Amino acid sequence: MTAPFIVVTRRPPGRAVEILAEAGQVWVWPEDRAIDRDLLLDRARDADALYTMLTERVDEELLDAAPGLRVVSNMAVGVDNIDREACARRGIRVGHTPDVLTDTTADMAWALLLAVSRRIVEGVDHVRSGRWRRWEPKLLWGVDASRTTLGIVGLGRIGAAVARRGSAFGMEVVYTSRRPKPALEEALGLRRVDLGRLLETSDHVVLTAALTPETHHLIDRAALEAMRPTATLVNVGRGPLVDTDALVTALSERWIFGAGLDVTDPEPLPADHPLVALSNCVIVPHLGSSTRRTREAMAELAARNVVAALAGEPMPAEVPTTGGS
Ligand code: GLV
Ligand code: GLV
């Protein structure tokens, strides 16, 4: 029997490639950018395993090109880039990287929430541009985080970690989720509400939901209209949870106080996009899990998912065929 062939779409950090090499012959796209689609389709032909980034679309076309494929391992917790049903129909297992990035991503949500609320980027611009001439009693007033109401949309692992941070800031925390989470409600004093109620009552709305057909444009024009004029919106989930055009209007016309975005639609966001010019919008380029410790842990977990799947063993983090938070 020949060794399994493992296709890696981008050089992963840490020990991932060494771990993969225990399980088969590894081919890594050598360049410092996303792999060309045609080359990926070609390499997939002989692949037993695909180790992917969230930039790769794993769809029927790619799966059709890969008759021997047994596992797709995404170096991300979100798997909206993967057609899970198509994988399930073919008996292809799907892995992802939960848990190892939870706190790091919740920290990013918190950084954005505070940056928008306290106008950190505008303050930095003020200093850098030489406009800081004197102390002013009303300079760059923000909104409070402490002792306000935090609304978490999609209470999964990351949402729960954001809730913990909220509790530490003396916030009242409400959430939406497809299923109630009684243990978390009990442990953290959370309250489950519907989305309408969450939007009306929250001072800060944090999106951590997975992107699915049901959550696409969950935050649309009507949702933004329902929010308080002093509220902030933070998105660390996926860009298309929010209708970008509606958000541009909401921020320009000050329907809400501001937004902090780790993810956008489109992504990457061009520098001349109207969102970028808005002083009440803080955008970072999808950095939620981007620390050395976390990205290395994700890369290694994704590698161990491949090794286990190729051995026919339980994967450390297999995406269930149905369900989610
Ligand atoms: C990043 O966005 C991830 O899903 O891990
Ligand atoms: C998402 O899957 C999460 O971990 O919250």
Side-chain angles (χ1 to χ4, degrees), residues 251-291:
L251 290 170
S252 321
E253 298 181 1
R254 308 274 162 171
W255 302 354
I256 64 175
F257 185 78
L261 309 175
D262 183 46
V263 289
T264 58
D265 179 24
E267 205 168 291
L269 197 64
D272 61 0
H273 191 282
L275 266 185
V276 178
L278 294 169
S279 61
N280 55 349
C281 190
V282 174
I283 305 169
V284 293
H286 205 147
L287 301 177
S289 59
S290 191
T291 65

Side-chain angles (χ1 to χ4, degrees), residues 1-8 20 23-27 40-52 58 62-63 65-73 87 90-95 302-303 305-312 315:
M1 212 179 86
T2 55
F5 187 51
I6 304 166
V7 171
V8 182
L20 290 169
Q25 185 199 340
V26 184
W27 179 84
L40 177 57
L41 289 170
D42 182 62
R43 291 275 112 179
R45 215 164 299 287
D46 303 314
D48 296 280
L50 274 183
Y51 182 113
T52 51
V58 181
L62 178 55
L63 297 174
L69 194 63
R70 288 187 271 156
V71 56
V72 177
S73 177
C87 288
R90 291 165 165 84
I92 296 168
R93 297 165 76 184
V94 177
N305 278 334
V306 170
V307 174
L310 290 177
M315 292 159 69

